[in-house]
Amino acid sequence: MPRASPVRIVKQLTAAGYNADREAVTLLAGAPDPDRAVEALLDQIESETVTITAGEVRAVLNGATHRTDDTTVSGGGETSTNRSKAAASAAEVTGVEQADQEASNRSPRDPAEPIVHGDMTGESTGTGEYEDFVSVFRDRYERLSAMLRGRVKHRPTDALESMPGGAEGALIGLVTDIRSTRNGHWLVELEDTNGTFPALVMKDREFASAVEELLLDEVIAVQGTLSDDGGILFVDDLFFPDVPRTFEPSTADRHVQAALVSDLHVGSQEFLDGAWADFADWLHSPAADAVEYLLIAGDMVEGVGVYPDQDEELDIIDIYEQYEAFSERLKAVPGDMEIVMVPGNHDAVRLAEPQPAFEPELRKIMSAHDAHIYSNPSTVTLEGVSILLYHGVSLDELVAELPMPEVSYDQPDQAMAQLLKKRHVAPKYGGKNRIAPEKQDYLVIEDIPDVVHSGHVHKLGVGAYNDVRLVNSGCFQGQTAFQRSVNISPDVGTAPILDLDTLEVTVRKFA
Ligand code: D5M
Ligand code: FE
Ligand code: ZN
């Protein structure tokens, strides 16, 4: 069935002065010729109609004469409507007269449908068997080693073993052990599909500091000289899969923006309802005219049983009610924006990454504005700009494990840069990160994105790594008891606004 963008349909109806039910828009979008259907509808509709119903659309599509009753339509329990920017509906959404006024002043948005890559929702094959772990690590090795192959003339570990002492050699492997020797050098054990081989990095080499950046299970390449007995590789150079310095990101060819947020934690006593309402109101204002997309990088709700004693801080204890409440907050956002979201560790999906997007029942609850819901991680392309959405649980691991002072909660973008360098969103298996074994490693950053958008650490971070824009969005949750106990002060009410045409970021603050 040919499908026009629902957003375009809403825009056409809005331009003619009508609102429409969600189902009416869906029907029009799915019509054989949506433009003709809209045209026919506008011809037939009575001018005093405010909201076009599905019944009216069906009448037009069936070629029947116009009728205004809508009794044949079963809403399927869906109560949300596809709101246009028309003043009446803006008032209904926000309950704020000022926004109502502003809404009627702003020009309509015309976002395009996002294109998604790496959404593994419905693709999960893992059964948790040993074989799945073997295949996910094999896939990780194969994809990451392919990125490194051009940089070294590597040999498999078993081939290195049979080479004579003193020979030049190179190896691509998964880091399985990092030890310092008695003299302060580093012994890094690397594993490929054929076996393992030890590599020695001397402490006085210029790249010795790279060892500090290593995490277990990441894939690197080393090049050097075999020891006299041929049993160790003395490393002369070390490579990460990395992003080339020459990387040039793509940009949109018109002025259009995306708001990048995360970590609302609706249902928590600390959810900053007022800050969210202010943000939503701002989106209705002319100042936000160019903001056509809203990306949410996980932790939409607070969830239940995520941390010990979490129930003491819950405002809403039922998970479905939390999503109902979240959905209400989503409805406050202008209906002509495209919304993309992925789950986080507080959301009601499996905790292990990759996290498939929600089950149908929760999707239905969150169906306001036809939001696009993908797995964590996923990459969406908006106006030609590819954005990797990853909630960010591994950032905790990086901050805890990496000794470099710049990789800290105060600069989450620096931790995000490490993910790009390692070309994997959760390099270390185990620890804080749970990884679900799948046939394929969906966590490899296969294609270099133009932008990485994360959340989770509740700290704002805007940076870049070899011209890839990095954004951590902060949160809409006030400081929790846990955060107080470990002295984390979250960046609250923050909404980084990304220019898709320049990749510049302006941070808006609503708290
Ligand atoms: O995570 C918000 C941030 O706070 C993230 O850096 C983890 C950390 N955090 C929050 N609560 C806990 C507990 N109880 N233990 C360990 N780390 C925690 P979020 O995903 O929003 O909870
Ligand atoms: Fe969070
Ligand atoms: Zn989180």
Side-chain angles (χ1 to χ4, degrees):
M1 188 158 59
R3 289 195 55 87
S5 149
V7 176
R8 188 156 61 83
I9 303 276
V10 169
K11 208 188 132 226
Q12 287 168 339
L13 298 177
T14 304
Y18 297 102
N19 286 328
D21 280 351
R22 173 188 192 77
E23 199 178 348
V25 173
T26 308
L27 283 172
L28 286 167
D33 184 345
D35 288 341
R36 273 246 315 272
V38 170
E39 219 171 279
L41 178 75
L42 294 177
D43 273 342
Q44 291 187 24
I45 206 84
E46 276 152 18
S47 58
E48 58 269 26
T49 301
V50 177
T51 302
I52 295 167
T53 63
E56 285 159 332
V57 174
R58 283 206 188 90
V60 170
L61 292 179
N62 295 338
T65 49
H66 173 62
R67 60 193 172 92
T68 48
D69 73 315
D70 194 17
T71 48
T72 55
V73 177
S74 126
E78 286 185 14
T79 49
S80 62
T81 53
N82 223 317
R83 259 167 301 271
S84 67
K85 67 170 181 58
S89 79
E92 168 210 324
V93 173
T94 62
V96 176
E97 277 174 20
Q98 185 196 352
D100 175 355
Q101 186 52 44
E102 284 168 340
S104 57
N105 291 340
R106 59 174 311 289
S107 36
R109 298 179 171 91
D110 188 18
E113 286 278 315
I115 302 163
V116 66
H117 302 279
D119 175 21
M120 50 72 66
T121 308
E123 304 288 326
S124 179
T125 54
T127 55
E129 301 289 318
Y130 175 74
E131 289 72 37
D132 292 329
F133 285 95
V134 174
S135 71
V136 78
F137 276 98
R138 196 174 279 260
D139 190 58
R140 173 188 295 213
Y141 178 77
E142 270 161 22
R143 288 166 186 245
L144 293 173
S145 64
M147 297 176 196
L148 289 157
R149 244 167 255 157
R151 266 169 279 173
V152 292
K153 283 206 187 67
H154 78 291
R155 297 273 176 278
T157 45
D158 53 345
L160 275 185
E161 269 163 15
S162 54
M163 279 164 65
E168 302 261 301
L171 165 66
I172 300 176
L174 207 104
V175 177
T176 54
D177 193 26
I178 309 163
R179 254 174 298 158
S180 63
T181 69
R182 233 179 305 145
N183 302 326
H185 306 306
W186 296 102
L187 198 59
V188 179
E189 191 174 64
L190 295 174
E191 181 177 338
D192 66 8
T193 42
N194 296 27
T196 63
F197 204 85
L200 190 83
V201 179
M202 309 288 275
K203 64 181 174 196
D204 49 359
R205 300 302 298 261
E206 70 276 17
F207 53 87
S209 62
V211 177
E212 296 201 332
E213 295 181 61
L214 289 184
L215 289 176
L216 292 182
D217 307 320
E218 72 174 291
V219 176
I220 59 166
V222 291
Q223 172 178 294
T225 316
L226 288 171
S227 58
D228 288 344
D229 66 3
I232 281 188
L233 185 77
F234 290 111
V235 178
D236 288 324
D237 221 341
L238 188 157
F239 304 90
F240 293 90
D242 226 323
V243 173
R245 262 177 245 260
T246 51
F247 174 73
E248 286 183 31
S250 302
T251 52
D253 50 21
R254 65 184 183 111
H255 179 58
V256 53
Q257 299 176 313
L260 275 45
V261 303
S262 70
D263 298 272
L264 280 70
H265 294 259
V266 175
S268 150
Q269 287 167 7
E270 276 78 30
F271 167 55
L272 298 170
D273 211 354
W276 182 265
D278 289 348
F279 169 55
D281 283 351
W282 177 78
L283 288 174
H284 282 275
S285 76
D289 249 10
V291 187
E292 301 193 6
Y293 300 91
L294 172 65
L295 308 188
I296 311 179
D299 284 0
M300 275 66 93
V301 302
E302 173 64 9
V304 290
V306 180
Y307 293 125
D309 300 327
Q310 187 204 19
D311 47 337
E312 287 164 23
E313 291 190 63
L314 285 182
D315 186 32
I316 305 172
I317 49 175
D318 181 85
I319 186 73
Y320 290 99
E321 283 173 27
Q322 290 184 5
Y323 280 102
E324 305 269 7
F326 166 67
S327 179
E328 289 306 310
R329 302 317 183 282
L330 213 51
K331 288 177 193 169
V333 166
D336 56 358
M337 292 183 74
E338 282 284 346
I339 302 174
V340 175
M341 50 190 169
V342 302
N345 57 312
H346 283 251
D347 286 296
V349 298
R350 78 170 180 207
L351 192 53
E353 296 172 8
Q355 298 179 286
F358 305 95
E359 298 292 333
E361 195 171 348
L362 288 172
R363 277 176 184 268
K364 203 160 138 193
I365 294 176
M366 285 181 272
S367 61
H369 304 332
D370 281 329
H372 301 268
I373 310 176
Y374 304 130
S375 65
N376 171 43
S378 284
T379 301
V380 288
T381 302
L382 308 175
E383 310 274 339
V385 178
S386 64
I387 305 175
L388 167 62
L389 283 118
Y390 170 62
H391 177 62
V393 168
S394 68
L395 300 177
D396 285 333
E397 192 84 52
L398 293 180
V399 169
E401 293 267 324
L402 298 181
M404 303 92 83
E406 68 274 18
V407 179
S408 70
Y409 284 123
D410 286 331
Q411 286 165 280
D413 49 298
Q414 294 278 355
M416 293 167 71
Q418 288 289 329
L419 302 181
L420 280 173
K421 190 165 187 172
K422 302 175 191 312
R423 294 288 287 274
H424 199 281
V425 298
K428 189 181 161 192
Y429 176 75
K432 293 183 166 59
N433 244 100
R434 285 159 218 242
I435 294 180
E438 297 282 350
K439 283 217 166 51
Q440 190 182 328
D441 190 348
Y442 293 97
L443 306 175
V444 169
I445 305 175
E446 182 85 50
D447 298 313
I448 301 168
D450 302 314
V451 179
V452 185
H453 173 203
S454 290
H456 181 63
V457 293
H458 295 207
K459 294 294 273 186
L460 181 72
V462 178
Y465 181 69
N466 290 347
D467 280 348
V468 177
R469 171 59 71 201
L470 306 171
V471 180
N472 197 293
S473 32
C475 62
F476 280 86
Q477 183 189 36
Q479 193 184 44
T480 62
F482 169 82
Q483 288 165 342
R484 212 162 24 250
S485 74
V486 295
N487 230 353
I488 294 178
S489 70
D491 290 318
V492 298
T494 43
I497 309 297
L498 171 73
D499 266 7
L500 291 168
D501 48 336
T502 61
L503 305 190
E504 293 299 319
V505 173
T506 320
V507 178
R508 297 272 166 183
K509 188 130 168 71
F510 298 94

